């Protein structure tokens, strides 16, 4: 679980005029302080990730990547030491091709030296992008090479790939192979701070769920991209929907927001321990969309101890709350509530709904673009 800055701070390198919102050492020191002191670390957000635009425009005389010396005067190692002193871990960004997406030096031809550099600095996660790569072969070989190079350093570094994302337009990714090399992988376009963007990610996921759901599990995860909760584009209901469905999808929880300026409501949602527990469930099975009807979607996810998570989404963007009735026999291949179960609503507000028998049904009200998230547990 991670805080990253890409979507919120973009590639702002103008620290003269915008010292508080440029990609800089100062920004990451401030966020690390807040993550450690404001409850984020305690609920499991432990990685602080630097995205693109941290680098100097050129490698040093020995061919090593270097941080921009004006914006990161202490370099990455000093920042990593500070982050570690707060009980957190540091993530960094590089690219498999000749340049990063923002035009900084890429790792092509430098995979081994870059892996060693990151390990020397004390980096704990690498996000490896796929821009400026001239062929699918170079892309695949580069992702594999960097994976092996990271392993050879002897340092435990989470490896976040964009390999399938850059293959999809032309080839169908081999997820079994990708899983061998990567810890999580992006499949679809970058998230934006908008409901339309969240909808398009969910639509892509459901139309490809037969391919991608079975490959997810401990050690390797589908990454639907960042949580944009706490920014400007989503309503309260839409933020609930993103949090609930990212939990159902077993998604890496990567926030892109400004923790210095976040509403109490958004903070409470992002720190909701019950929802995080579903996301981080040790069984490690990704959930899926069970059905879609009349602008409602029902998603479900098997959890450990024979429990299930169920999300019901109202996709209608007009009118008021709508009621939806679900028969419990239809959930979890008929097993979720067999012979009976205790149901707790977790979102939009937590409340115990009580004891239900297998043959009963459950009626609920769901706001437009909102979601009701339930946890079903064996009663007996």
């Amino acid at each position: 679980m991670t805080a990253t800055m890409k979507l919120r701070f973009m590639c702002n390198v103008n620290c003269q005029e915008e010292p508080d919102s440029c990609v800089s050492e100062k920004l990451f020191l401030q966020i690390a302080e807040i993550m450690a002191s404001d409850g984020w670390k305690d609920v499991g957000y432990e990685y602080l990730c630097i995205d693109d635009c941290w680098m100097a425009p050129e490698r040093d005389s020995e061919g090593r990547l270097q941080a921009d010396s004006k914006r990161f005067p202490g370099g990455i190692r000093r920042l990593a030491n500070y982050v570690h002193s707060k009980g957190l871990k540091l993530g960094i960004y590089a690219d498999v091709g000749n340049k990063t997406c923002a035009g900084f030096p890429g790792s092509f031809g430098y995979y081994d030296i870059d892996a060693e550099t990151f390990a020397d600095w004390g980096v704990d996660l690498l996000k490896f992008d796929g821009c400026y790569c001239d062929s699918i072969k170079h892309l695949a070989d580069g992702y594999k090479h960097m994976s092996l190079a990271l392993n050879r350093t002897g340092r435990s570094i989470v490896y976040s790939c964009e390999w399938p994302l850059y293959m999809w337009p032309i080839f169908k990714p081999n997820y079994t192979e990708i899983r061998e090399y990567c810890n999580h992988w992006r499949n679809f376009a970058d998230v934006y701070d908008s409901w339309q963007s969240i909808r398009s990610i969910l639509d892509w996921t459901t139309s490809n769920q037969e391919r991608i759901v079975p490959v997810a599990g401990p050690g390797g995860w589908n990454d639907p991209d960042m949580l944009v909760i706490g920014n400007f584009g989503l309503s309260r209901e839409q933020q609930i929907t993103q949090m609930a469905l990212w939990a159902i999808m077993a998604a890496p929880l990567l926030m892109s927001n400004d923790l210095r300026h976040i509403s109490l409501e958004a903070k409470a949602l992002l720190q909701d321990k019950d929802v995080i527990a579903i996301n981080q469930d040790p069984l490690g099975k990704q959930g899926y969309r069970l059905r879609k009807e009349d602008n409602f979607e029902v998603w479900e996810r098997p959890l450990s101890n024979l429990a299930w998570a169920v999300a019901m989404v109202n996709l209608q963007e007009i009118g008021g709350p709508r009621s939806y009735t679900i028969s419990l026999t239809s959930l979890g291949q008929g097993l979720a509530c067999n012979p009976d179960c205790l149901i707790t609503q977790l979102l939009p507000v937590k409340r115990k709904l009580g004891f239900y028998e297998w043959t009963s049904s459950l009626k609920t009200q769901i706001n437009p673009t909102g979601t009701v998230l339930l946890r079903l547990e064996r009663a007996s």
Side-chain angles (χ1 to χ4, degrees):
M1 294 165 61
T2 310
T4 182
M5 307 293 153
K6 173 68 188 295
L7 182 125
R8 181 61 184 263
F9 296 100
M10 309 293 289
C11 187
N12 184 355
V13 295
N14 184 359
C15 293
Q16 253 90 28
E17 289 178 34
E18 299 178 39
D20 291 328
S21 56
C22 66
V23 178
S24 66
E25 180 179 284
K26 177 187 166 190
L27 173 66
F28 287 95
L29 293 172
Q30 287 177 348
I31 300 296
E33 179 68 47
I34 291 169
M35 283 179 72
S37 64
D38 222 7
W40 299 100
K41 183 181 77 169
D42 301 336
V43 296
Y45 294 96
E46 60 173 342
Y47 289 85
L48 174 57
C49 294
I50 308 170
D51 214 286
D52 205 347
C53 307
W54 62 269
M55 298 174 197
E58 306 287 337
R59 291 173 177 269
D60 72 11
S61 56
E62 294 175 340
R64 294 183 183 275
L65 290 173
Q66 50 188 346
D68 183 287
S69 59
K70 285 199 176 71
R71 293 181 288 117
F72 291 86
I76 302 300
R77 186 186 279 116
R78 188 173 81 180
L79 178 57
N81 289 343
Y82 181 80
V83 168
H84 294 153
S85 78
K86 295 288 175 188
L88 299 165
K89 295 175 180 174
L90 186 71
I92 208 161
Y93 169 101
D95 192 287
V96 71
N98 293 302
K99 290 190 278 192
T100 73
C101 297
F104 291 88
S107 291
F108 182 73
Y110 293 91
Y111 299 131
D112 296 295
I113 195 171
D114 287 357
E116 285 165 22
T117 301
F118 297 145
D120 288 346
W121 286 344
V123 165
D124 305 290
L125 179 152
L126 172 64
K127 175 182 171 182
F128 211 39
D129 215 334
C131 284
Y132 296 102
C133 200
D134 57 8
S135 73
I136 289 293
K137 184 179 183 332
H138 275 165
L139 185 83
D141 289 349
Y143 274 107
K144 292 177 194 174
H145 192 145
M146 182 55 94
S147 177
L148 299 171
L150 291 171
N151 284 342
R152 278 195 296 272
T153 68
R155 183 170 180 82
S156 174
I157 298 175
V158 174
Y159 188 36
S160 169
C161 301
E162 311 228 338
W163 184 357
L165 165 62
Y166 286 89
M167 283 185 76
W168 261 115
I170 313 152
F171 295 100
K172 288 196 169 166
N174 177 348
Y175 282 102
T176 311
E177 181 179 53
I178 288 166
R179 191 190 158 86
E180 277 176 41
Y181 293 96
C182 303
N183 297 120
H184 42 89
W185 47 85
R186 282 273 309 284
N187 293 307
F188 188 64
D190 286 356
V191 70
Y192 278 70
D193 187 14
S194 78
W195 175 237
Q196 185 187 354
S197 173
I198 302 301
R199 276 292 307 269
S200 66
I201 290 168
L202 295 172
D203 288 345
W204 186 92
T205 301
T206 53
S207 49
N208 291 280
Q209 63 184 14
E210 264 100 47
R211 283 180 62 89
I212 68 169
V213 168
V215 295
W221 309 98
N222 292 294
D223 176 8
D225 210 6
M226 296 173 283
L227 295 166
V228 294
I229 296 161
N231 292 312
F232 306 96
L234 300 186
S235 70
R236 169 72 180 158
E237 298 305 323
Q238 292 157 3
Q239 294 186 47
I240 287 168
T241 295
Q242 189 185 25
M243 191 71 186
L245 293 183
W246 263 236
I248 293 273
M249 291 190 289
L253 295 185
L254 313 164
M255 303 183 289
S256 185
N257 50 28
D258 186 347
L259 298 182
R260 300 168 303 179
H261 307 287
I262 189 167
S263 71
L264 291 174
E265 210 172 35
K267 179 182 168 185
L269 180 58
L270 287 162
Q271 292 191 4
D272 188 313
K273 288 179 182 168
D274 296 305
V275 182
I276 290 170
I278 287 175
N279 173 265
Q280 301 279 309
D281 185 78
L283 187 61
K285 284 198 180 297
Q286 180 170 335
Y288 47 85
R289 188 177 77 186
L290 180 65
R291 74 170 74 92
K292 182 175 184 177
E293 57 190 1
D294 188 28
N295 253 342
F296 286 106
E297 287 186 350
V298 179
W299 293 60
E300 63 179 18
R301 177 181 177 184
L303 305 173
S304 44
N305 300 321
L306 304 176
W308 286 78
V310 175
M312 294 171 287
V313 191
N314 175 7
L315 292 172
Q316 198 154 291
E317 297 184 36
I318 192 170
R322 300 162 73 210
S323 66
Y324 185 73
T325 303
I326 190 160
S327 73
L328 297 178
T329 50
S330 68
L331 298 174
Q333 289 115 41
L335 301 172
C337 199
N338 186 359
D340 48 46
C341 62
L342 292 167
I343 302 183
T344 307
Q345 177 183 297
L346 302 181
L347 291 174
V349 288
K350 185 174 182 179
R351 56 196 179 102
K352 288 187 172 162
L353 302 185
F355 176 85
Y356 285 78
E357 294 188 313
W358 187 54
T359 51
S360 53
S361 56
L362 175 73
K363 186 175 183 180
T364 189
Q365 289 273 106
I366 314 169
N367 293 336
T369 68
T371 295
V372 170
L373 178 65
L374 307 173
R375 183 183 173 96
L376 282 61
E377 290 171 287
R378 291 293 164 95
S380 40

